[in-house]
Amino acid sequence: MFDLDIRSLAAELLNISRERGITVATIESCTGGLVAGALTAISGSSSMVLGGLVTYSNEAKTVLAGVPAELIRQHGAVSEPVARAMAEGGRERLSSRLAVSVTGIAGPDGGSEAKPVGLVHFACTNGARTLHREKRFGAKGRDEIRRLSVLEALDLLREAALTIE
């Protein structure tokens, strides 16, 4: 179901998490649960993966992940502040050590000059510190943008897991 790059990175992250006793949660919009799916495709992941929230709509971001509606109105759903709030709210709600969020425009519709198709914001938090990445994958097609987003989210989780003491 997932390509070798995704499976390898997911397995590496889970090994690091297992060794360090780190639990993980995902809060996803444009990836629709694919990050959680990649992690749970690995046998034994249930001891590290606490759960995932698919917050595709703005309302779901507010209700499930606790993102303030005003933050979405001010910055838009595809923005650094919303990605950070998704990760922080989701981590708190799922009581995980780490949480990653993904919010973006996978296309082919929905882009604008300011926020083009392929723009994706990622955030990962451990509660004390929240990392953010912005990627502009371009108009590579919906499936490829989502695949690249899963890889980026897993890599960000791996980086964060390695820095936890």
Side-chain angles (χ1 to χ4, degrees), residues 10-11 13-15 17-18 21-28 33-53 94-100 154 157:
L13 167 63
L14 290 171
N15 285 334
S17 297
R18 187 177 297 108
I22 297 168
T23 55
V24 175
T26 67
I27 303 84
E28 304 178 61
L34 290 172
V35 179
L39 291 169
T40 59
I42 308 297
S43 179
S45 61
S46 62
S47 61
M48 284 81 61
V49 180
L50 294 183
L53 303 174
L94 293 169
S95 300
S96 64
R97 184 80 186 274
L98 282 180
V100 68
L154 291 171
L157 273 170

Side-chain angles (χ1 to χ4, degrees), residues 30-99:
C30 67
T31 48
L34 290 172
V35 179
L39 291 169
T40 59
I42 308 297
S43 179
S45 61
S46 62
S47 61
M48 284 81 61
V49 180
L50 294 183
L53 303 174
V54 176
T55 58
Y56 204 67
S57 70
N58 291 347
E59 183 179 7
K61 287 173 181 62
T62 298
V63 172
L64 297 176
V67 177
E70 182 58 29
L71 195 67
I72 296 171
R73 278 193 293 279
Q74 277 185 322
H75 301 280
V78 180
S79 64
E80 179 178 347
V82 170
R84 287 177 178 274
M86 287 169 63
E88 292 162 1
R91 188 194 75 79
E92 185 177 309
R93 281 183 155 85
L94 293 169
S95 300
S96 64
R97 184 80 186 274
L98 282 180

Side-chain angles (χ1 to χ4, degrees), residues 1-3 5-10 13 26 28-40 100-103 120-122 133 135 137 142-158:
M1 177 173 278
F2 294 98
D3 68 30
D5 291 339
I6 290 173
R7 289 183 64 79
S8 296
L9 192 51
L13 167 63
T26 67
E28 304 178 61
S29 186
C30 67
T31 48
L34 290 172
V35 179
L39 291 169
T40 59
V100 68
S101 68
V102 184
T103 182
V120 185
H121 286 272
F122 304 85
R133 288 186 190 164
K135 292 291 181 177
F137 295 119
R142 185 175 183 82
D143 288 345
E144 183 63 5
I145 289 167
R146 287 166 42 112
R147 187 185 79 77
L148 292 170
S149 294
V150 171
L151 285 167
E152 193 67 33
L154 291 171
D155 186 58
L156 187 56
L157 273 170
R158 184 183 58 80

